[in-house]
Amino acid sequence: MNNSIGNEMYTLHINGQDRPVKDAWVGESLLYVLRERLELPGAKGACEQGECGSCTVIMDGDAVCSCLVMAATAVGADIVTVEGLIENDPSMAVTAQTITSQITDVQQAFIEEGGVQCGFCTPGLIVAVHHLLEKNPEPTELQVKESISGNICRCTGYGRIFAAVEAVVQVRKASR
Amino acid sequence: MSTVKQDTRHRDILGTSALRPDGVAKVTGAFSFSSDMWAENMLWGATLRSPHPYARIISIDTTAALLISGVSAVITAQDVPGKATYGLISADQPVFASDFVRYMGEPIAAVAADHPETCRRALAAIIVNYEVLTPVVDPELAMLATTEQIHPDGNLIRHQHILHGEAHITSDITVEGNYTIGMQDQAFLGLEAAMAFPDSGGNGVELHIATQWLHEDRGQIAACLNLPEDSVRVVLGGVGGAFGAREDISLQVHCCLLALRTGRPIKMQYSREESFFGHVHRHPAKIWMKHHATKEGKIVKVESRMVFDGGAYTSTSPAVLINGITHTQGPYQCDNAVVDGYAVRTNNPPCGAMRGFGVVQACFAHESQMDKLAHACGLSPVEVRLINAMHTGDKLITGQVMESVAPVERCIRETDLIPLPAPLALDANVLEFPGGSGRTADRHNIVRGIGWGVSMKNLMYSEGFDDYATARCTLSNGIASLKFATSEVGQGFVTLAPQIARSVLGVDDVVLETSDTQIGSAGSTSASRQTWMSGGAVDGACRLVRERLFEHVGRLHNIDPIRLMIEHTDVIDTIGTFRISVTQATQGITLSETFEHHHRKTEDLDENGQGNCHVAFAFVAHRAVVDVDIELGLVKVVQVATAQDVGRVLNPLSALGQLEGGIAQGLGLAVMEEIILDNGRVKNPSFTDYLLPTALDAPHVVAIMIEEPEPQAPLGAKGIGEPPCISVTPAIVAAIRAATGKALSRVPVRPQDICL
Amino acid sequence: MTVAVPLSLAEAFDELSRTPDARLIQGGTDLMVEINFNHVKPANVIALRRIKELRTWHVNSNNTITIGSGVPYQEMETGQLKELLPALAEAARTVGSPQIRAAGTLGGNLGTCSPAGDGLPVLFALDAIVHLQSLESSRDLSIHDFMLGVKRNARTANEIITGVTVPVLDGWQGYAKVGVRNAMVISVASACLAVDKKSNSVRIALGAVGPTIIRCRDAESWLVQQFDLSIATSIDPAIALEFGRRVALESKPIDDHRSTADYRRHAVGVLAKRLITRAYPS
Ligand SMILES: Cc1cc2nc3c(=O)[nH]c(=O)nc-3n(C[C@H](O)[C@H](O)[C@H](O)COP(=O)(O)OP(=O)(O)OC[C@H]3O[C@@H](n4cnc5c(N)ncnc54)[C@H](O)[C@@H]3O)c2cc1C
Ligand code: FES
Ligand code: FES
């Protein structure tokens, strides 16, 4: 999109690809650039102040709020969005349970355990849970709660989300 | 964590935990929410809002804004071609303020530009001169004739009196109290967003919008745009939660006006801060309530005075008020009542629909009263509620007879049977303590409390409103397709509708067509009504198609259609051996039927508040267990046990999701969620200061669903969306009272209310 | 308009001398909120996130630790940093959410200098030294001289905060923060208490109850007169209570939308009592 206020040019490394950004305004967050410039609308914005986690992406191995990353400063970082999880997820091999082979075990569990209602928090939670299970394959209930305490869900009350994480942990454990 | 019995699902018919058809799209990020839309050549729209709660507008100068490079349009009240105001019940809210602004955040102008930042700069360049006025913020004062009337229609939106039985009767025991309910926000995650596409020629517009009620939006938009309704096509954009906040118009008219003005697609989306100003909230209320009872604890009379602060414009205040006062008695028998309710305009933010719709406020008061009554009579909270529990056939304080299934006693007893949680372990992790990650408490600072709440909630719209729903079913080649204008906001109607079609028609493949205004209204996704109403419409349409199918098969195979029925996926002859699969039977033909479901008629209340104003009711009991750090006033809700009257469970998994989600919202109102006002100014329009429950605040929920099918309901199922969030709030507060001995007459309970 | 992403401090100073008005950004968890909320419109930005020197920490020979301004909170929550600086670990763990702790830093906490900043009471209790560097010079400033008021500090526009140095003390230390939610909440009132047996001293610093972090010097010196901190293992509950009362007296809280002055004053008293009791269980 052309516009009258920006001329930043830079390239981001997202989901394994170099993605050039043109004519951007400096103040744009990574969330904005992903959604409005790079056709990656998977990360959602519900607060733009780090309080909801809907915009969670992986940046250099950490789960961060993309709304708080100034996009132009993210050059040189390795960024994975919800759109990039499917190819990047090593656990894809063990998703015999999946209805469609297109989605990860975490994604499948969210659907099967009722962790999705309106779904606005879901992509951020999916990224956060993938990240958690990569760092800590067998988290306790409390560790799960703490690690997703930055992801607000207004619809579910979290019960089915905890159930989904638990289901993934059990399946992964059994297949190890 | 509750667990759901997962039936082995052979076919995703009614009663199974069928999975969401939009699930894959939602977990992969591919689902298109209304904020995800993008169009070639589009512009961004943004709104200029009043910084003052009350002011006279002296002048608006948009010249500088129009000169900014990248700005395509700036519009104000002068640019509204049709009706200058809108509103759900009375059209008193201006599209853009032109003479007065009556609340902080009221829209004054809108701009269209090439980038959100350009929009922000344009907004900053619009010069508005105000004469700042002293806001009227206290509804008690606002009601007085001597107070400045902030609106041509006056400040009193509605007063309703209820007189039932004997006004002056009293009894052995009286208990009374004054209760305050704070302003809660729906705080859906998916912010207001829309995209408007102008028709070439500018004689019409297509709006993709996250809304609860497409047809109502269309009517209000068309009137403001001065276009015939069929020139305004409203299409449901993906909705990220609603909870009442999408029932009123927010950016709809602005977005369409900008599209028509610029001839280009316009994308508008609110920020979180703007969202706090852009939609209505739950009414703050002040309630005085007095119960007269025998010394055995039987309620003889209830008296109450309720004042609901409607904020600057009417929205649904009159209906919220009626819901509040007609639920004064709660789920209890009561033969005598004197109630007065007032909904009042002030210069506070406008209030309207939110999950629970007036009943939340009344319930906090009546449940607090029930505990006072129990205490006065030496009864337990459970005993006093059982003694008074309402039954089918009882007369309500409106004179209406309770015709719904009313398993109040069962809700209470079954909740009571749910095991209490284990005591807080001596070595429990600090994250489980009140105060959580702040590490404020040590184990010995914590006291446990248990509290109860029970509620009654009306279902569907009231007072003579015919909120019917429409659906069309088309069956061809073994595939059913369903068309309706029902808003899917997350509640799961898109899962339920195919379940209905599969059950009725014996098909497996069900296609959902776009939800838009190209079919009759579905009514709003609110008032716990869509399963009943749109579910009833889908069921009705499918049944009509099934009749046509039987006629068709009967004719071809020479069988009286009356003998045919569906078994699994086949049409069979009940008294013969004939059998044909639905797929085969519908090869090459198309059967299509449209059905409108209307609920039974209701009536207005008379001047004594008497009349059959409600359609039906649902009940629920909640028992909360809390841990309290009394010295610091911090609370952790440990467990919520609940038994809910659901009629019939149509999808166990989504039903449980409604219960758990509602409980979390009720918890929010009990201990943390409040829009804080200072002389009409919102002090906390952000998620940093408007706190929502996190995963570490969520209680362990143990839920039981009581299935006593409701004969009035098309599928036997009652609405289940609102009840979960109503009585959990008083249950939590009662538990805090039990732990602390404090009176706690306001929600949310703040730390200082407990410890100072 | 430029956005620079230097890979070393030297490069960063070059950039800073070229664009003296540039805003520095580290984790972005404060600055991006300001930008998203339309409060700040930066023209030039220097991002420090890729400067390795700022993202390391080390133990010095004099039993102090220097932590780079770019070390994210999540690194302070565990491991050796947690062992040596438990109060910092506890404070770090209360900051926002895991996503915020993966990005947010002490440099940013100091740069913002909000009285509610959770890193600051720890730095005040430990009498931290703040390291500031510019192209020409560098200076070390006591934290007490660094924080000047609500969101005001002694840093000049050409300086970069490179890190802080804090002592490893011999004694119990901890942090507690009151918020109305069990996670992800900005402080309503907080306190950091650290005992140093070697010097028979106690330090208590309060957050969110005054324009700056408040060190309760009177309460501290009163307490050391009550018992010998270097040998005691428990505290008389009456002394703990009185300590709390004295701490509360030194706070200067205000009413705002997050809480009331009365509650905050009360809360810091309770926190002080509890923290000293954790140090010396009664
Ligand atoms: C959702 C959320 C929750 C939060 N919760 C908490 C909380 O619980 N407790 C808390 O204390 N804070 C909290 N914060 C605030 C914030 O995370 C912290 O203040 C954090 O320490 C900021 O670090 P940063 O690196 O992200 O700062 P940045 O945003 O990068 O910078 C902040 C300021 O410091 C300046 N700055 C940064 N680095 C340097 C440097 N090296 N030299 C000079 N100036 C510099 C910047 O110019 C800017 O003015 C929260 C923020 C969010 C968004
Ligand atoms: S949008 Fe980034 S955390 Fe809410
Ligand atoms: S499913 Fe709606 S916010 Fe989580």
Side-chain angles (χ1 to χ4, degrees), chain B residues 117 431 435-442 445 629 631-632 636 671 676 688-689 692 696-697 751 755, chain C residues 38 41 90 93-94 176-183 186 257-258 260 263 266-267 270-271 273-274 278:
Chain B
E117 175 62 15
L431 288 179
S437 63
R439 316 180 74 87
T440 43
D442 296 304
N445 302 127
D629 176 344
E631 215 178 1
L632 282 177
K636 159 88 192 181
V671 295
I676 295 164
T688 302
D689 287 314
L692 300 169
L696 275 169
D697 299 287
C755 70
Chain C
N38 207 17
K41 296 195 187 299
E90 290 181 2
R93 194 164 171 196
T94 74
K177 142 172 155 187
V178 175
V180 190
R181 183 158 75 172
N182 282 325
I186 301 287
H257 57 276
R258 288 188 190 138
T260 64
Y263 176 76
H266 166 80
V270 173
L271 294 182
K273 179 186 74 175
R274 290 184 182 176
R278 282 178 201 169

Short mmCIF file of all heavy atoms in Angstrom, two decimals, chain B residues 117 431 435-442 445 629 631-632 636 671 676 688-689 692 696-697 751 755, chain C residues 38 41 90 93-94 176-183 186 257-258 260 263 266-267 270-271 273-274 278:
data_model
loop_
_atom_site.label_atom_id
_atom_site.label_comp_id
_atom_site.label_asym_id
_atom_site.label_seq_id
_atom_site.Cartn_x
_atom_site.Cartn_y
_atom_site.Cartn_z
N GLU B 117 -1.80 6.21 10.62
CA GLU B 117 -1.09 7.35 11.21
C GLU B 117 -1.52 8.66 10.55
O GLU B 117 -1.63 9.68 11.22
CB GLU B 117 0.43 7.12 11.11
CG GLU B 117 1.29 8.27 11.59
CD GLU B 117 1.13 8.62 13.07
OE1 GLU B 117 0.55 7.82 13.83
OE2 GLU B 117 1.56 9.73 13.45
N LEU B 431 1.97 -19.19 43.68
CA LEU B 431 1.12 -18.74 42.58
C LEU B 431 -0.35 -19.07 42.82
O LEU B 431 -1.24 -18.50 42.20
CB LEU B 431 1.57 -19.37 41.25
CG LEU B 431 2.87 -18.87 40.66
CD1 LEU B 431 3.18 -19.60 39.37
CD2 LEU B 431 2.82 -17.37 40.41
N GLY B 435 -3.09 -12.96 45.44
CA GLY B 435 -1.90 -12.14 45.21
C GLY B 435 -0.95 -12.78 44.21
O GLY B 435 -0.13 -12.11 43.61
N GLY B 436 -1.07 -14.08 44.05
CA GLY B 436 -0.37 -14.81 43.00
C GLY B 436 1.10 -14.48 42.87
O GLY B 436 1.85 -14.52 43.85
N SER B 437 1.49 -14.12 41.65
CA SER B 437 2.90 -13.94 41.36
C SER B 437 3.51 -12.76 42.13
O SER B 437 4.73 -12.63 42.18
CB SER B 437 3.11 -13.75 39.86
OG SER B 437 2.45 -12.57 39.45
N GLY B 438 2.67 -11.92 42.75
CA GLY B 438 3.21 -10.83 43.56
C GLY B 438 3.81 -11.31 44.88
O GLY B 438 4.42 -10.52 45.60
N ARG B 439 3.64 -12.58 45.22
CA ARG B 439 4.22 -13.20 46.42
C ARG B 439 3.90 -12.38 47.67
O ARG B 439 4.77 -12.16 48.52
CB ARG B 439 5.74 -13.31 46.32
CG ARG B 439 6.27 -13.79 45.01
CD ARG B 439 7.78 -13.86 45.04
NE ARG B 439 8.19 -14.99 45.84
CZ ARG B 439 8.34 -16.20 45.37
NH1 ARG B 439 8.12 -16.44 44.11
NH2 ARG B 439 8.70 -17.19 46.17
N THR B 440 2.66 -11.94 47.78
CA THR B 440 2.33 -11.10 48.92
C THR B 440 1.98 -11.91 50.16
O THR B 440 2.20 -11.45 51.27
CB THR B 440 1.15 -10.18 48.57
OG1 THR B 440 0.18 -10.96 47.88
CG2 THR B 440 1.60 -9.04 47.70
N ALA B 441 1.41 -13.10 49.95
CA ALA B 441 0.87 -13.83 51.10
C ALA B 441 1.76 -14.99 51.49
O ALA B 441 2.50 -15.54 50.69
CB ALA B 441 -0.52 -14.36 50.76
N ASP B 442 1.69 -15.33 52.78
CA ASP B 442 2.22 -16.59 53.25
C ASP B 442 1.02 -17.47 53.59
O ASP B 442 -0.08 -16.97 53.80
CB ASP B 442 3.12 -16.36 54.46
CG ASP B 442 4.34 -15.52 54.09
OD1 ASP B 442 5.08 -15.92 53.17
OD2 ASP B 442 4.52 -14.44 54.68
N ASN B 445 -1.57 -16.50 56.17
CA ASN B 445 -2.36 -15.28 56.01
C ASN B 445 -3.71 -15.55 55.37
O ASN B 445 -4.52 -14.64 55.21
CB ASN B 445 -1.63 -14.27 55.10
CG ASN B 445 -0.26 -13.90 55.61
OD1 ASN B 445 0.72 -13.98 54.90
ND2 ASN B 445 -0.20 -13.48 56.88
N ASP B 629 -6.70 -13.22 51.46
CA ASP B 629 -5.66 -12.66 52.31
C ASP B 629 -6.32 -11.44 52.96
O ASP B 629 -6.42 -10.37 52.36
CB ASP B 629 -4.47 -12.25 51.42
CG ASP B 629 -3.37 -11.55 52.21
OD1 ASP B 629 -3.63 -11.11 53.35
OD2 ASP B 629 -2.25 -11.45 51.65
N GLU B 631 -5.69 -9.46 55.41
CA GLU B 631 -4.94 -8.26 55.78
C GLU B 631 -4.66 -7.36 54.57
O GLU B 631 -4.59 -6.14 54.69
CB GLU B 631 -3.62 -8.71 56.40
CG GLU B 631 -3.13 -7.82 57.50
CD GLU B 631 -1.83 -8.35 58.10
OE1 GLU B 631 -1.31 -9.40 57.64
OE2 GLU B 631 -1.32 -7.70 59.00
N LEU B 632 -4.50 -7.98 53.40
CA LEU B 632 -4.25 -7.17 52.20
C LEU B 632 -5.49 -7.04 51.32
O LEU B 632 -5.48 -6.32 50.32
CB LEU B 632 -3.10 -7.77 51.37
CG LEU B 632 -1.69 -7.50 51.88
CD1 LEU B 632 -0.67 -8.21 51.00
CD2 LEU B 632 -1.38 -6.00 51.94
N LYS B 636 -8.42 -15.02 45.89
CA LYS B 636 -8.24 -15.99 44.81
C LYS B 636 -9.47 -16.89 44.82
O LYS B 636 -9.80 -17.49 45.86
CB LYS B 636 -6.96 -16.79 45.08
CG LYS B 636 -6.88 -18.12 44.39
CD LYS B 636 -6.29 -18.01 43.01
CE LYS B 636 -6.51 -19.34 42.29
NZ LYS B 636 -6.00 -19.42 40.97
N VAL B 671 -14.53 -9.29 41.51
CA VAL B 671 -13.30 -8.87 42.17
C VAL B 671 -12.35 -7.97 41.38
O VAL B 671 -11.35 -7.52 41.94
CB VAL B 671 -12.48 -10.08 42.70
CG1 VAL B 671 -13.25 -10.81 43.78
CG2 VAL B 671 -12.11 -11.03 41.57
N ILE B 676 -13.70 2.89 35.76
CA ILE B 676 -13.66 3.87 36.83
C ILE B 676 -13.89 5.26 36.26
O ILE B 676 -13.24 5.67 35.29
CB ILE B 676 -12.33 3.77 37.59
CG1 ILE B 676 -12.29 2.39 38.27
CG2 ILE B 676 -12.20 4.88 38.63
CD1 ILE B 676 -10.93 1.99 38.73
N THR B 688 -4.39 -2.32 30.65
CA THR B 688 -3.46 -2.22 31.78
C THR B 688 -4.23 -1.95 33.06
O THR B 688 -3.87 -2.42 34.13
CB THR B 688 -2.46 -1.07 31.56
OG1 THR B 688 -1.78 -1.32 30.34
CG2 THR B 688 -1.45 -0.98 32.68
N ASP B 689 -5.31 -1.18 32.93
CA ASP B 689 -6.02 -0.76 34.13
C ASP B 689 -7.45 -1.26 34.20
O ASP B 689 -8.07 -1.17 35.25
CB ASP B 689 -5.99 0.77 34.23
CG ASP B 689 -4.61 1.25 34.63
OD1 ASP B 689 -4.04 0.66 35.57
OD2 ASP B 689 -4.08 2.18 34.00
N LEU B 692 -8.89 -7.94 33.32
CA LEU B 692 -9.69 -9.13 33.01
C LEU B 692 -9.03 -10.33 33.67
O LEU B 692 -7.81 -10.36 33.83
CB LEU B 692 -9.72 -9.37 31.50
CG LEU B 692 -10.30 -8.24 30.65
CD1 LEU B 692 -10.02 -8.51 29.18
CD2 LEU B 692 -11.79 -8.12 30.89
N LEU B 696 -4.30 -17.45 35.53
CA LEU B 696 -4.00 -17.68 36.95
C LEU B 696 -5.13 -17.21 37.87
O LEU B 696 -5.08 -17.43 39.07
CB LEU B 696 -2.69 -17.00 37.34
CG LEU B 696 -1.43 -17.84 37.06
CD1 LEU B 696 -0.18 -16.99 37.22
CD2 LEU B 696 -1.35 -19.06 37.97
N ASP B 697 -6.12 -16.54 37.31
CA ASP B 697 -7.26 -16.12 38.12
C ASP B 697 -8.45 -17.06 37.95
O ASP B 697 -9.41 -16.97 38.70
CB ASP B 697 -7.69 -14.71 37.71
CG ASP B 697 -6.59 -13.69 37.93
OD1 ASP B 697 -6.32 -13.37 39.09
OD2 ASP B 697 -5.96 -13.27 36.94
N PRO B 751 -9.68 -4.35 47.22
CA PRO B 751 -8.90 -4.76 48.40
C PRO B 751 -9.21 -3.90 49.62
O PRO B 751 -9.38 -4.42 50.72
CB PRO B 751 -7.45 -4.54 47.94
CG PRO B 751 -7.49 -4.71 46.47
CD PRO B 751 -8.84 -4.19 46.03
N CYS B 755 -9.95 -4.86 53.66
CA CYS B 755 -8.96 -4.76 54.73
C CYS B 755 -8.92 -3.41 55.44
O CYS B 755 -8.20 -3.26 56.42
CB CYS B 755 -7.57 -5.12 54.21
SG CYS B 755 -6.90 -3.92 53.08
N ASN C 38 -0.26 6.76 20.59
CA ASN C 38 -0.26 8.08 19.98
C ASN C 38 0.31 9.15 20.92
O ASN C 38 0.00 10.32 20.80
CB ASN C 38 -1.71 8.44 19.60
CG ASN C 38 -1.77 9.42 18.44
OD1 ASN C 38 -0.78 9.58 17.71
ND2 ASN C 38 -2.90 10.07 18.27
N LYS C 41 5.79 10.26 18.97
CA LYS C 41 5.99 10.03 17.54
C LYS C 41 7.47 10.19 17.24
O LYS C 41 7.94 11.27 16.97
CB LYS C 41 5.19 11.04 16.73
CG LYS C 41 3.69 10.87 16.93
CD LYS C 41 2.91 11.60 15.87
CE LYS C 41 1.43 11.57 16.19
NZ LYS C 41 0.89 10.21 16.25
N GLU C 90 12.61 -12.44 42.11
CA GLU C 90 11.19 -12.37 42.47
C GLU C 90 10.52 -11.17 41.82
O GLU C 90 9.39 -11.26 41.33
CB GLU C 90 11.03 -12.30 43.99
CG GLU C 90 11.41 -13.60 44.66
CD GLU C 90 11.24 -13.59 46.18
OE1 GLU C 90 10.78 -12.57 46.74
OE2 GLU C 90 11.56 -14.61 46.80
N ARG C 93 9.98 -11.83 38.14
CA ARG C 93 8.90 -12.76 37.85
C ARG C 93 7.52 -12.10 37.97
O ARG C 93 6.53 -12.62 37.46
CB ARG C 93 8.99 -13.95 38.79
CG ARG C 93 8.12 -15.09 38.31
CD ARG C 93 8.51 -16.36 38.99
NE ARG C 93 7.56 -17.41 38.70
CZ ARG C 93 7.50 -18.53 39.39
NH1 ARG C 93 8.34 -18.73 40.40
NH2 ARG C 93 6.62 -19.46 39.08
N THR C 94 7.45 -10.96 38.64
CA THR C 94 6.15 -10.28 38.73
C THR C 94 5.93 -9.33 37.56
O THR C 94 4.86 -8.75 37.44
CB THR C 94 6.02 -9.44 40.01
OG1 THR C 94 6.81 -8.26 39.87
CG2 THR C 94 6.44 -10.19 41.25
N ALA C 176 7.89 -8.24 47.15
CA ALA C 176 6.45 -8.53 47.14
C ALA C 176 5.72 -7.35 46.54
O ALA C 176 6.09 -6.19 46.77
CB ALA C 176 5.95 -8.80 48.56
N LYS C 177 4.70 -7.67 45.77
CA LYS C 177 3.97 -6.61 45.05
C LYS C 177 2.48 -6.87 45.09
O LYS C 177 2.04 -7.98 44.82
CB LYS C 177 4.49 -6.58 43.62
CG LYS C 177 3.48 -6.31 42.54
CD LYS C 177 4.19 -6.13 41.22
CE LYS C 177 3.31 -6.46 40.04
NZ LYS C 177 4.06 -6.44 38.78
N VAL C 178 1.74 -5.86 45.43
CA VAL C 178 0.29 -5.98 45.48
C VAL C 178 -0.31 -5.55 44.15
O VAL C 178 -0.01 -4.47 43.63
CB VAL C 178 -0.31 -5.09 46.59
CG1 VAL C 178 -1.83 -5.13 46.55
CG2 VAL C 178 0.20 -5.51 47.95
N GLY C 179 -1.16 -6.42 43.61
CA GLY C 179 -1.94 -6.09 42.42
C GLY C 179 -3.27 -6.79 42.57
O GLY C 179 -3.39 -7.74 43.34
N VAL C 180 -4.26 -6.33 41.82
CA VAL C 180 -5.61 -6.87 42.03
C VAL C 180 -5.85 -8.12 41.21
O VAL C 180 -6.94 -8.66 41.17
CB VAL C 180 -6.66 -5.79 41.74
CG1 VAL C 180 -8.05 -6.23 42.17
CG2 VAL C 180 -6.30 -4.51 42.48
N ARG C 181 -4.84 -8.60 40.54
CA ARG C 181 -4.99 -9.79 39.73
C ARG C 181 -3.84 -10.71 40.09
O ARG C 181 -2.81 -10.23 40.57
CB ARG C 181 -4.96 -9.32 38.27
CG ARG C 181 -5.17 -10.32 37.24
CD ARG C 181 -5.64 -9.68 35.94
NE ARG C 181 -4.56 -8.98 35.21
CZ ARG C 181 -4.71 -8.49 33.99
NH1 ARG C 181 -5.86 -8.59 33.36
NH2 ARG C 181 -3.71 -7.86 33.39
N ASN C 182 -4.00 -11.98 39.82
CA ASN C 182 -2.97 -12.92 40.26
C ASN C 182 -1.79 -13.04 39.31
O ASN C 182 -0.84 -13.78 39.57
CB ASN C 182 -3.58 -14.30 40.53
CG ASN C 182 -4.30 -14.29 41.87
OD1 ASN C 182 -3.86 -13.64 42.81
ND2 ASN C 182 -5.41 -14.99 41.94
N ALA C 183 -1.83 -12.33 38.21
CA ALA C 183 -0.70 -12.30 37.29
C ALA C 183 -0.86 -11.06 36.44
O ALA C 183 -1.94 -10.49 36.37
CB ALA C 183 -0.71 -13.54 36.40
N ILE C 186 0.10 -4.26 37.03
CA ILE C 186 0.99 -3.17 37.42
C ILE C 186 0.86 -2.99 38.92
O ILE C 186 -0.23 -3.09 39.49
CB ILE C 186 0.61 -1.87 36.69
CG1 ILE C 186 0.69 -2.06 35.17
CG2 ILE C 186 1.49 -0.71 37.14
CD1 ILE C 186 2.07 -2.14 34.60
N HIS C 257 -6.64 5.94 39.98
CA HIS C 257 -7.62 4.95 39.55
C HIS C 257 -7.21 3.53 39.92
O HIS C 257 -8.02 2.62 39.87
CB HIS C 257 -7.87 5.07 38.05
CG HIS C 257 -6.61 4.92 37.25
ND1 HIS C 257 -5.75 5.98 37.02
CD2 HIS C 257 -6.05 3.85 36.67
CE1 HIS C 257 -4.73 5.56 36.30
NE2 HIS C 257 -4.88 4.27 36.08
N ARG C 258 -5.94 3.33 40.29
CA ARG C 258 -5.54 1.97 40.63
C ARG C 258 -5.80 1.64 42.09
O ARG C 258 -5.95 0.47 42.45
CB ARG C 258 -4.06 1.73 40.32
CG ARG C 258 -3.80 1.64 38.85
CD ARG C 258 -2.39 1.22 38.49
NE ARG C 258 -2.22 1.41 37.06
CZ ARG C 258 -1.14 1.91 36.50
NH1 ARG C 258 -0.10 2.27 37.23
NH2 ARG C 258 -1.08 2.06 35.20
N THR C 260 -6.16 3.57 46.44
CA THR C 260 -6.24 4.78 47.27
C THR C 260 -4.95 4.93 48.07
O THR C 260 -4.23 3.95 48.31
CB THR C 260 -7.41 4.69 48.26
OG1 THR C 260 -7.16 3.62 49.18
CG2 THR C 260 -8.72 4.45 47.55
N TYR C 263 -5.07 2.76 51.26
CA TYR C 263 -4.79 1.34 51.05
C TYR C 263 -3.31 1.12 50.80
O TYR C 263 -2.70 0.20 51.34
CB TYR C 263 -5.61 0.77 49.88
CG TYR C 263 -5.24 -0.67 49.62
CD1 TYR C 263 -5.70 -1.68 50.45
CD2 TYR C 263 -4.37 -1.02 48.58
CE1 TYR C 263 -5.32 -3.00 50.27
CE2 TYR C 263 -3.99 -2.34 48.39
CZ TYR C 263 -4.47 -3.33 49.22
OH TYR C 263 -4.07 -4.63 49.03
N HIS C 266 -1.35 1.33 53.97
CA HIS C 266 -1.61 0.11 54.74
C HIS C 266 -0.84 -1.08 54.14
O HIS C 266 -0.18 -1.84 54.85
CB HIS C 266 -3.11 -0.16 54.72
CG HIS C 266 -3.50 -1.53 55.19
ND1 HIS C 266 -3.58 -1.88 56.52
CD2 HIS C 266 -3.80 -2.67 54.49
CE1 HIS C 266 -3.93 -3.15 56.63
NE2 HIS C 266 -4.07 -3.66 55.42
N ALA C 267 -0.91 -1.20 52.80
CA ALA C 267 -0.34 -2.37 52.14
C ALA C 267 1.18 -2.43 52.32
O ALA C 267 1.73 -3.51 52.60
CB ALA C 267 -0.70 -2.36 50.65
N VAL C 270 1.99 -3.79 55.67
CA VAL C 270 1.79 -5.25 55.75
C VAL C 270 2.94 -5.97 55.03
O VAL C 270 3.50 -6.95 55.54
CB VAL C 270 0.43 -5.64 55.13
CG1 VAL C 270 0.30 -7.16 55.06
CG2 VAL C 270 -0.71 -5.03 55.93
N LEU C 271 3.31 -5.47 53.85
CA LEU C 271 4.38 -6.12 53.10
C LEU C 271 5.69 -6.09 53.90
O LEU C 271 6.42 -7.09 53.96
CB LEU C 271 4.59 -5.45 51.74
CG LEU C 271 3.45 -5.57 50.73
CD1 LEU C 271 3.84 -4.90 49.40
CD2 LEU C 271 3.06 -7.02 50.48
N LYS C 273 6.11 -5.91 57.12
CA LYS C 273 5.99 -6.86 58.23
C LYS C 273 6.20 -8.28 57.73
O LYS C 273 6.94 -9.06 58.32
CB LYS C 273 4.58 -6.72 58.85
CG LYS C 273 4.33 -7.67 59.99
CD LYS C 273 2.90 -7.61 60.49
CE LYS C 273 1.95 -8.28 59.51
NZ LYS C 273 0.57 -8.37 59.99
N ARG C 274 5.57 -8.60 56.62
CA ARG C 274 5.68 -9.97 56.12
C ARG C 274 7.08 -10.28 55.61
O ARG C 274 7.59 -11.38 55.78
CB ARG C 274 4.64 -10.21 55.02
CG ARG C 274 3.23 -10.25 55.59
CD ARG C 274 2.22 -10.58 54.52
NE ARG C 274 0.88 -10.57 55.10
CZ ARG C 274 -0.22 -10.75 54.40
NH1 ARG C 274 -0.15 -10.94 53.09
NH2 ARG C 274 -1.39 -10.74 55.00
N ARG C 278 9.56 -13.10 56.82
CA ARG C 278 10.11 -14.16 55.96
C ARG C 278 11.63 -14.26 56.22
O ARG C 278 12.19 -15.35 56.18
CB ARG C 278 9.85 -13.86 54.49
CG ARG C 278 8.43 -14.17 54.07
CD ARG C 278 8.16 -13.84 52.62
NE ARG C 278 6.71 -13.68 52.42
CZ ARG C 278 6.14 -13.19 51.34
NH1 ARG C 278 6.90 -12.80 50.32
NH2 ARG C 278 4.84 -13.08 51.26
#
